[in-house]
Amino acid sequence: MSQHVFKRAGFLAATVGVAGLLGAGVAAAHVTANVYGSQPTKGGYAAIVFRVPSEEKDPVTTTKVTVDFKADYGIGSVRTKPLPGWTAEVTKSKLPTPITKDNGTQITEAVTAVTWTAQPGNELKATDYQEFSVSFGPLPTNVDQVEFPAHQTYSDGKVVDWNQPTPANGEEPEHPAPVVKLAAKTDGDGDHAGMAAGTASTPGEHTEAAATTSDSTARWLGGAGLLVGAVGLGVGAGATIRARKATAKPGGNS
């Protein structure tokens, strides 16, 4: 009887772990915009990472990724983090009407797209994913979130558009556009973020930012692993106690 209980405990623990892994796989099945660090604030600057998985079957690969920046956001500056094997190109467009930011700055030319293109031999295979890091601003103050429609080009010429807005009911569409929510602005938020983005121009500073991102990711993954392990240990301990009670004789020593 105790053997049966232990098998059940092991099965439950394994189920918890597999469910967590499957959930993570589903969540990462499309292009997403991820914030590592403080949530961007309205009117401030943002540092985000676009995570792009390659989903077509071998031998088809991802060769290019384009992320759109809506002109009415008035994003005046974008910086891309160097990525070995990929080239980045920032596209700016003249605005029909200048946008005046809260600090009085007039934006006459806004960023409308960033395109990453793989150099030969660096394309994303079916089992690969890549992260493309950018910092940009100033952010708009009249919206609660910013959307970044993305376009993923494959080696066979196919282009997948990740540009569908998520409806108010929260039900995710088939090809959702990457979204970043904006926090309410507090005094000094825009200035401090702007200074951070404005000074991150040397290779050393880019490396430091990458190390911070990796550290945050590692801590998150470590925490998730500890949680799954704790659940498994709890189930196993409970099974052990029940098994001992079941095999103990009335009036005997446990």
Side-chain angles (χ1 to χ4, degrees):
M1 181 175 182
S2 59
Q3 253 187 339
H4 176 67
V5 174
F6 279 123
K7 285 182 180 179
R8 286 185 60 192
F11 174 77
L12 287 172
T15 301
V16 171
V18 170
L21 291 174
L22 288 176
V26 171
H30 53 75
V31 178
T32 57
N34 303 284
V35 177
Y36 296 147
S38 301
Q39 197 69 18
T41 58
K42 297 179 180 180
Y45 283 71
I48 67 174
V49 174
F50 293 103
R51 177 173 292 178
V52 180
S54 198
E55 297 184 313
E56 294 296 303
K57 296 180 180 179
D58 285 333
V60 179
T61 59
T62 294
T63 59
K64 184 170 67 173
V65 176
T66 298
V67 175
D68 293 339
F69 287 66
K70 296 184 179 181
D72 55 3
Y73 290 160
I75 304 297
S77 173
V78 168
R79 295 190 179 189
T80 61
K81 179 181 174 182
L83 182 64
W86 290 76
T87 58
E89 180 182 0
V90 177
T91 301
K92 283 190 171 185
S93 302
K94 192 80 172 177
L95 295 176
T97 303
I99 296 176
T100 302
K101 295 294 185 176
D102 285 0
N103 61 5
T105 302
Q106 272 203 340
I107 305 296
T108 60
E109 192 179 51
V111 175
T112 51
V114 178
T115 299
W116 289 270
T117 304
Q119 297 173 2
N122 293 277
E123 301 87 352
L124 300 183
K125 299 186 179 75
T127 56
D128 295 343
Y129 77 91
Q130 187 56 269
E131 292 186 332
F132 304 91
S133 302
V134 294
S135 62
F136 56 89
L139 293 163
T141 57
N142 58 346
V143 294
D144 295 325
Q145 64 181 27
V146 282
E147 289 184 353
F148 301 97
H151 314 280
Q152 186 172 6
T153 302
Y154 287 94
S155 57
D156 62 354
K158 179 180 179 180
V159 178
V160 177
D161 297 320
W162 303 94
N163 59 357
Q164 296 175 328
T166 301
N169 62 12
E171 185 177 347
E172 190 173 83
E174 184 178 359
H175 293 93
V179 173
V180 172
K181 295 187 180 299
L182 302 180
K185 181 180 179 180
T186 59
D187 292 339
D189 277 348
D191 295 337
H192 290 148
M195 288 172 61
T199 56
S201 57
T202 66
E205 286 165 334
H206 281 303
T207 301
E208 183 180 350
T212 302
T213 297
S214 298
D215 181 61
S216 299
T217 305
R219 290 182 181 180
W220 184 88
L221 290 173
L226 288 173
L227 177 61
V228 172
V231 172
L233 287 174
V235 173
T240 302
I241 293 172
R242 289 195 296 272
R244 288 180 176 177
K245 287 183 178 180
T247 55
K249 296 180 180 180
N253 293 326
S254 57

